[in-house]
Amino acid sequence: MFKAILLEQGADGKTIARLSDVEDAALPEADVRVAVQWSSLNYKDALAITGRSPIVRKWPMVPGIDFAGVIEHSDHPCWKVGDKVVLTGFGVGEGHWGGLAQRASIKGDWLVALPTGFDAKHAMAVGTAGFTAMLCLLALERHGLKPGDGEVLVTGASGGVGSVAVALLASLGYRVVASTGRLDETDYLKSLGAESVIDRATLSAPGKPLARERWAGVVDSVGSHTLANACAATRENGAVAACGLAQGMDFPATVAPFILRGVTLYGINSVTVAHGPREQAWARIVRDMPMAKLDAMTQVVRLDEVLDVAPRFLEGKVRGRLVVDTAAA
């Protein structure tokens, strides 16, 4: 038996979430079984747990889109018992049982080795959010963005993706402008390296097709009008990396920034990244992520606290990264 957050669909279609004792035999069939040591709570997990968005594609479901732990059993040629591994993406927590549990049965092809220099807790302090932030940074770098090119905007900066993006960009010498709906977090964002902090209200309302050129690059986790306005104010031949939809999945923009200024919009999909690029991204995280700043943005919750925390997450009352101690339940 092991403990897990279990989601079931009620007769009325509503999501029923509870902390449950689950038999090992209930685990889905896969070639690797992992003792999960740490997981994290992400925006998508909170949506699944509360039922506020149709995240779950198969019932019952264990949510948790990432985890880190130790292999207990393996029929996969690349992994053996005792290996330390990390999982992010691949629809885990949506269509395949995920990491908000003490045990996971998973495809070995989806795993990467725990990066040297990280323990399982710090790997989940990065988690899917930090991995996504690094993919955004890599896209901007491939575009040609360099420190010294000008201001780089990070939207949703108080959240998981935003916090890691601010810290990573600042550590590499970029001038980071953090956009947030919580100006009381200004000191926190500046401690991560933001040069300045702006109110998200300046970006979240309908705007003009083109605005004054300001941003050399953008990391956007918000979508909707915020993304449209970020593109409208991006400088000639600049780039925007879009990875989230906290404000909405609509994109009420025009083609003006793209055809009049040569702005490039990169879509960032962190779910199905191939193994090689996945390892490369983790290697850059280990190299470039300041550990003191990672610790400063991380809060630890117990597995048995997740159900209470999830609604607060969606209400914007949580900053940075929420790491889940799966042993504490």
Side-chain angles (χ1 to χ4, degrees), residues 207-236:
K208 298 177 180 179
L210 284 176
R212 179 178 63 87
E213 294 182 62
R214 181 171 181 181
W215 316 120
V218 177
V219 174
D220 175 68
S221 61
V222 177
S224 191
H225 291 291
T226 298
L227 175 57
N229 288 323
C231 290
T234 297
R235 289 162 39 178
E236 185 173 2

Side-chain angles (χ1 to χ4, degrees), residues 4-216:
I5 302 296
L6 191 67
L7 307 182
E8 296 178 297
Q9 191 173 44
D12 57 0
K14 293 184 178 180
T15 299
I16 301 169
R18 65 179 187 274
L19 180 66
S20 301
D21 290 312
V22 180
E23 294 185 1
D24 289 1
L27 284 165
E29 291 187 11
D31 52 12
V32 175
R33 188 176 70 244
V34 178
V36 178
Q37 297 173 319
W38 294 89
S39 185
S40 72
L41 186 65
N42 297 274
Y43 186 75
K44 188 179 288 186
D45 300 323
L47 288 173
I49 290 168
T50 60
R52 295 188 189 179
S53 185
I55 299 297
V56 176
R57 303 194 301 268
K58 183 178 179 181
W59 304 91
M61 178 56 56
V62 173
I65 63 174
D66 50 28
F67 63 78
V70 179
I71 292 180
E72 292 184 324
H73 173 82
S74 175
D75 292 322
H76 192 281
C78 293
W79 304 110
K80 65 181 184 301
V81 173
D83 284 345
K84 298 177 181 179
V85 293
V86 176
L87 180 286
T88 63
F90 294 104
V92 169
E94 303 171 65
H96 187 99
W97 281 20
L100 288 172
Q102 295 174 334
R103 190 162 291 147
S105 183
I106 210 79
K107 292 185 179 180
D109 288 346
W110 296 348
L111 300 170
V112 296
L114 180 72
T116 302
F118 268 31
D119 57 22
K121 179 182 176 182
H122 283 102
M124 283 298 98
V126 174
T128 296
F131 178 70
T132 303
M134 176 53 75
L135 294 179
C136 291
L137 171 58
L138 292 173
L140 296 178
E141 286 183 344
R142 287 193 299 271
H143 184 82
L145 184 69
K146 300 181 297 297
D149 284 350
E151 293 178 312
V152 178
L153 173 68
V154 176
T155 68
S158 298
V161 174
S163 292
V164 177
V166 169
L168 284 170
L169 287 161
S171 74
L172 294 170
Y174 290 93
R175 295 173 56 201
V176 181
V177 177
S179 168
T180 180
R182 291 178 282 167
L183 291 179
D184 58 333
E185 299 286 11
T186 295
D187 289 344
Y188 161 72
L189 291 168
K190 287 188 173 181
S191 75
L192 297 182
E195 184 177 273
S196 60
V197 178
I198 61 174
D199 192 330
R200 71 179 178 196
T202 63
L203 296 168
S204 60
K208 298 177 180 179
L210 284 176
R212 179 178 63 87
E213 294 182 62
R214 181 171 181 181
W215 316 120

Side-chain angles (χ1 to χ4, degrees), residues 35 77 128 158 161 192 209 228 235 252 264-265 282 289 293 315:
T128 296
S158 298
V161 174
L192 297 182
R235 289 162 39 178
T264 299
L265 177 59
W282 275 104
M289 186 69 217
K293 291 182 179 179
E315 293 164 4

